[in-house]
Amino acid sequence: MVFNLYSKSVDGYYTGSCLDFTERFQRHLDKTYFDSYTRKASDWILYLAINGLGYKQVRKIEKHIKSMKSRRYIENLKKYPEMVASLIEKYGAGSSR
């Protein structure tokens, strides 16, 4: 799963990936990750989730979203589901990108 969290208090997004979102999300809320951006706030909510992907696909999509370094891009992913579909197709299971 690739996910985006949003915090109103820092007015920012965090992009990550995991196999078990419930556990990973709780670790972010508990501030388990010492050097993580998510330590800056306690009000993170799930903003966007992209499920049903293979491990390599998840990692490629996460890397792509982070490389965009764009708040607007993340917001558009939620607003325009066809953008998510395009990423899934672009970084499909057999993709070498």
Side-chain angles (χ1 to χ4, degrees):
M1 160 185 215
V2 178
F3 62 89
N4 287 103
L5 303 179
Y6 175 75
S7 166
K8 186 175 182 176
S9 64
V10 295
D11 191 27
Y13 293 94
Y14 171 81
T15 301
S17 64
C18 64
L19 294 174
D20 182 348
F21 177 75
T22 303
E23 179 185 336
R24 180 75 183 273
F25 184 58
Q26 191 58 51
R27 288 182 179 205
H28 283 296
L29 293 178
D30 293 343
K31 302 181 181 183
T32 302
Y33 303 110
F34 184 73
D35 290 331
S36 176
Y37 175 74
T38 57
R39 283 185 65 88
K40 295 180 179 185
S42 298
D43 63 340
W44 294 101
I45 60 165
L46 179 62
Y47 181 78
L48 176 70
I50 306 172
N51 295 298
L53 308 172
Y55 176 77
K56 288 182 180 181
Q57 199 175 16
V58 163
R59 299 297 294 165
K60 289 174 185 176
I61 291 173
E62 176 190 14
K63 183 178 178 180
H64 171 84
I65 293 170
K66 287 180 173 180
S67 74
M68 298 304 288
K69 298 181 180 181
S70 171
R71 163 189 207 96
R72 180 171 287 172
Y73 185 78
I74 292 169
E75 291 169 353
N76 282 340
L77 285 173
K78 185 169 183 172
K79 189 174 180 180
Y80 303 109
E82 62 271 19
M83 288 178 64
V84 172
S86 178
L87 284 177
I88 292 169
E89 183 178 333
K90 180 178 181 177
Y91 297 108
S95 171
S96 61
R97 291 182 185 174

